[in-house]
């Protein structure tokens, strides 16, 4: 801790002691209580605490709760729908069959897309399969409201491109300097987004996935009409980019789980796998 | 039934059974604390009130899908923190280009080099740099706004709401050790900003 006494605990430990978040009967706590240097640090923390409390002291505005309640009175509540178990089983069986068919069809379609992108041409790609007789093939989504056969038609998607901005950085150091703390992304990430228009979510996800070259086999999208559930098998850098791009498309992330759109510095390897679960709900 | 004295679990059960008055009790119980959190993060009364109202409305709309893995208090705290974070950054970058690069990302993905490391500053401190009361006369509020999001949020939840580390960890969805580190680093950085 300091030059005069090498046995002093770290500032982090003294800080935790000040918050009574360490065992107050431990030798560490006893040292902090008795050591003049540690006591000085504790006094400074006390001053800081008082000043923060003073600066951030505020009174709750009069009528705040009444105004919230008045708004709530005009807000519909979303209720979960419960099925009898046998109906649920039937629905699950149907979804499984439809899902398997959809994955098969999307894989076929993605092969065509990749060839077109690689060649820069629609018709002359050497590996391109014959164009389907209809252009209304589903892409990533199963909502039949958007195209015959379901989903945003592939030809309506535009590969996402967002100009210049700093790239996210992945580092093997969790604490990187005064202003930098690397964000740790877990193996699974759950997030909830709010969007004004779910059709726009389908379109944006299609654009972004196309831009990132993420094949449909890595993605599952379920559109209930009221919300869109998105599950994807991604690398961490793909997840970071997807989150940033969803935010740039105007969707509102309401869960604080990381990564957040504004974060730039991440801990670990950019290619590490992550399973991403997202729910896009409609803002009414 | 006296809803005011009911615990959170009972209130949520009532709410899921259609008794919307139970949500009013949750508003009475948490709105003040949440307002203080939002105000701490945004330093603006109007923004803070908007965030708290928005958070309750979002929670109300999606209460049917609330699984109860965390407490309602933790859940609504997370929503407020996240909305505050979004508003804070929106306020800061208002009018600025918020585009992000996809084309650059592709080259980054394909780059086989080792990830770029950032130099770590020496985090140790000396007694000579311990803050004193004169330094604290400067604007602490302004100093806190200069901290990175993660440190500012942890610091305010501790100092303003006086939440224990465990609750802060739940609200910020991180480990208790991370909270301990963020609070200490936030205090350290605040000291440096103020000197």
């Amino acid at each position: 801790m300091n030059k005069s006494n090498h046995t002093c605990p770290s500032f982090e430990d003294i800080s935790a002691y000040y918050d009574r978040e360490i065992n107050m009967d431990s030798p560490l706590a006893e040292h902090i209580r008795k050591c003049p240097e540690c006591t000085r640090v504790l006094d400074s923390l006390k001053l800081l605490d008082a000043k923060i409390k003073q600066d951030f002291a505020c009174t709750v505005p009069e009528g705040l709760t009444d105004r919230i309640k008045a708004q709530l009175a005009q807000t519909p509540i979303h209720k979960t729908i419960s099925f009898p178990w046998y109906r649920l089983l039937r629905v699950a069986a149907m979804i499984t069959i439809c899902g398997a068919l959809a994955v098969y069809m999307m894989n076929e379609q993605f092969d065509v897309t990749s060839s077109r992108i690689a060649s820069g041409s629609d018709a002359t790609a050497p590996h391109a399969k014959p164009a389907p007789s209809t252009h209304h093939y589903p892409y990533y989504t199963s909502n039949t409201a958007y195209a015959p056969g379901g989903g945003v038609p592939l030809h309506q998607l535009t590969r996402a491109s967002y100009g210049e901005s700093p790239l996210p950085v992945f580092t093997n150091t969790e604490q990187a300097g005064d202003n930098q703390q690397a964000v740790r992304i877990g193996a699974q990430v759950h997030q909830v987004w709010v969007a004004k228009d779910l059709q726009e979510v389908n379109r944006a996800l299609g654009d972004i996935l196309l831009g990132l070259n993420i094949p449909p086999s890595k993605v599952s999208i379920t559109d209930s009409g009221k919300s869109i559930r998105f599950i994807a098998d991604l690398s961490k850098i793909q997840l970071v980019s997807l989150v940033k791009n969803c935010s740039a498309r105007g969707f509102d992330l309401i869960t604080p789980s990381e990564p957040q759109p504004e974060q730039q510095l991440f801990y670990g390897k950019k290619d590490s796998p992550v399973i991403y679960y997202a729910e896009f709900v409609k803002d009414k | 039934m006296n809803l005011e004295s009911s615990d959170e679990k009972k209130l949520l059960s009532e709410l899921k059974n259609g008794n919307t008055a139970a949500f009013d009790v949750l508003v009475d119980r948490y709105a003040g604390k949440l307002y203080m959190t939002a105000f701490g993060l945004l330093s603006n009364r109007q923004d803070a009130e908007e965030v708290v109202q928005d958070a309750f409305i979002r929670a109300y709309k999606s209460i049917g899908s609330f699984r109860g893995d965390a407490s309602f208090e933790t859940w609504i705290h997370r929503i407020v923190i996240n909305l505050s974070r979004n508003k804070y950054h929106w306020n800061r970058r208002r009018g600025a280009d918020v585009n992000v690069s996809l084309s650059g990302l592709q080259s980054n993905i394909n780059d086989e080099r080792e990830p770029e490391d950032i130099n770590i500053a020496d985090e140790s401190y000396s007694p000579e740099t311990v803050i004193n009361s004169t330094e604290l006369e400067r604007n602490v509020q302004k100093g806190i706004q200069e901290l990175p999001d993660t440190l500012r949020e942890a610091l305010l939840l501790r100092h303003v709401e006086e939440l224990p580390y465990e609750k802060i960890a739940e609200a910020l969805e991180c480990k208790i050790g991370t909270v301990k580190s963020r609070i200490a680093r936030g205090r350290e950085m605040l000291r440096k900003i103020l000197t």
Side-chain angles (χ1 to χ4, degrees):
Chain A
M1 169 190 141
N2 60 61
K3 290 166 192 169
S4 61
N5 190 347
H6 291 286
T7 62
C8 284
S10 65
F11 180 80
E12 191 173 303
D13 283 334
I14 300 176
S15 165
Y17 173 90
Y18 177 75
D19 293 327
R20 305 186 70 80
E21 293 279 354
I22 63 169
N23 181 356
M24 301 304 272
D25 297 324
S26 64
L28 190 75
E30 196 179 340
H31 170 97
I32 294 170
R33 272 193 296 275
K34 290 178 179 172
C35 170
E37 293 298 341
C38 293
T39 307
R40 273 190 67 197
V41 179
L42 276 179
D43 289 343
S44 74
L45 287 175
K46 208 177 287 179
L47 266 171
L48 187 65
D49 190 17
K51 186 66 184 164
I52 293 173
K53 282 191 171 72
Q54 183 190 321
D55 269 26
F56 285 90
C58 67
T59 50
V60 178
E62 206 173 321
L64 172 69
T65 54
D66 291 338
R67 286 192 290 279
I68 295 170
K69 288 173 190 172
Q71 281 202 0
L72 290 172
Q74 299 169 354
T75 306
I77 189 167
H78 291 181
K79 290 182 181 172
T80 48
I81 302 163
S82 58
F83 290 91
W85 65 271
Y86 55 88
R87 287 190 62 192
L88 200 63
L89 277 178
R90 281 171 57 190
V91 171
M94 283 177 66
I95 289 171
T96 308
I97 293 165
C98 293
L101 276 171
V103 166
Y104 173 75
M105 290 172 73
M106 285 190 291
N107 278 332
E108 289 283 303
Q109 185 61 31
F110 187 78
D111 286 344
V112 175
T113 313
S114 303
S115 303
R116 286 177 185 169
I117 291 166
S119 67
S121 158
D122 244 9
T124 57
H127 308 298
K129 295 179 181 177
S133 56
T134 168
H135 290 290
H136 299 302
Y137 265 58
Y139 195 78
Y140 292 117
T141 175
S142 58
N143 191 321
T144 53
Y146 306 141
V152 178
L154 183 60
H155 69 272
Q156 288 183 10
L157 296 174
T158 309
R159 179 189 277 263
S161 174
Y162 292 90
E164 296 305 318
S165 69
L167 288 172
V169 174
F170 281 75
T171 171
N172 53 14
T173 308
E174 199 162 12
Q175 294 184 355
D178 280 351
N179 292 310
Q180 301 279 354
Q181 182 172 23
V183 171
R184 190 183 283 267
I185 300 172
Q188 293 188 4
V189 174
H190 296 252
Q191 292 184 331
V192 178
W193 294 81
V194 175
K196 287 194 169 53
D197 180 357
L198 290 184
Q199 189 169 350
E200 176 54 26
V201 172
N202 273 310
R203 200 173 300 277
L205 285 174
D207 290 348
I208 294 166
L209 293 170
L210 203 60
L212 290 169
N213 285 338
I214 297 169
S217 58
K218 299 275 187 185
V219 177
S220 157
I221 299 182
T222 313
D223 185 342
S224 70
K226 290 183 176 176
S227 72
I228 292 174
R229 178 161 294 178
F230 175 84
I231 305 172
D233 187 4
L234 304 171
S235 68
K236 287 186 175 172
I237 195 162
Q238 285 174 332
L239 172 59
V240 169
S241 178
L242 192 135
V243 167
K244 284 174 180 291
N245 283 291
C246 283
S247 175
R249 290 290 279 251
F251 310 133
D252 197 4
L253 180 58
I254 64 165
T255 38
S257 51
E258 282 147 345
Q260 291 289 311
E262 70 280 2
Q263 289 169 339
Q264 278 298 112
L265 183 63
F266 298 92
Y267 176 76
K269 292 185 176 170
K270 63 185 182 229
D271 297 324
S272 303
V274 56
I275 302 174
Y276 184 50
Y277 299 87
E279 187 94 23
F280 291 81
V281 295
K282 192 170 180 183
D283 189 11
K284 289 190 174 177
Chain B
M1 180 196 296
N2 184 10
L3 286 173
E4 279 74 20
S5 57
S6 299
D7 65 15
E8 195 182 288
K9 204 172 172 183
K10 181 70 188 162
L11 289 170
L12 291 173
S13 166
E14 283 291 313
L15 192 57
K16 287 189 176 180
N17 289 331
N19 184 358
T20 52
F23 201 85
D24 288 350
V25 178
L26 292 170
V27 171
D28 288 333
R29 200 170 284 180
Y30 299 123
K33 280 175 79 174
L34 292 169
Y35 175 84
M36 288 171 76
T37 302
F39 178 74
L41 292 169
L42 294 162
S43 298
N44 181 296
R45 289 180 180 280
Q46 195 179 338
D47 283 351
E49 181 163 344
E50 271 177 29
V51 160
V52 175
Q53 284 192 18
D54 198 9
F56 273 113
I57 287 164
R58 282 169 193 242
Y60 186 72
K61 277 181 176 177
S62 49
I63 197 75
S65 58
F66 177 61
R67 294 195 304 263
D69 295 343
S71 68
F72 177 83
E73 184 185 10
T74 301
W75 184 47
I76 191 95
H77 253 106
R78 284 182 194 160
I79 298 175
V80 164
I81 290 166
N82 213 48
L83 289 174
S84 300
R85 193 184 284 170
N86 290 348
K87 194 173 265 296
Y88 176 81
H89 286 282
W90 191 85
N91 286 344
R92 281 183 63 166
R93 72 188 178 201
R94 195 181 294 170
D97 184 12
V98 294
N99 288 343
V100 290
S101 170
L102 267 179
S103 52
L105 175 84
Q106 286 305 311
S107 61
N108 192 309
I109 288 172
N110 298 329
D111 188 354
E112 294 301 322
R113 286 173 301 174
E114 284 299 305
E116 184 183 343
D117 283 337
I118 291 173
N119 289 332
I120 310 167
D122 184 4
E123 289 292 314
S124 63
Y125 74 98
S126 64
E128 291 79 16
T129 57
V130 170
I131 39 180
N132 59 47
S133 58
T134 314
E135 291 160 359
L136 285 170
E137 290 306 313
R138 300 186 197 179
N139 194 341
V140 172
Q141 199 167 359
K142 198 179 168 195
I144 281 185
Q145 299 306 326
E146 289 177 31
L147 296 178
D149 290 352
T150 51
L151 307 190
R152 187 175 65 251
E153 288 160 5
L155 209 55
L156 287 171
L157 288 174
R158 177 64 212 159
H159 284 278
V160 179
E161 284 218 39
E162 298 183 331
L163 291 181
Y165 286 9
E166 190 184 354
K167 287 273 181 194
I168 298 172
E170 284 176 8
L172 298 178
E173 289 188 297
C174 61
K175 292 176 181 169
I176 291 178
T178 308
V179 171
K180 179 182 169 186
S181 160
R182 286 180 185 177
I183 289 174
R185 292 183 66 231
R187 285 167 172 163
E188 278 262 48
M189 281 185 63
L190 192 54
R191 172 182 58 78
K192 285 179 185 169
I193 289 168
L194 294 171
T195 51

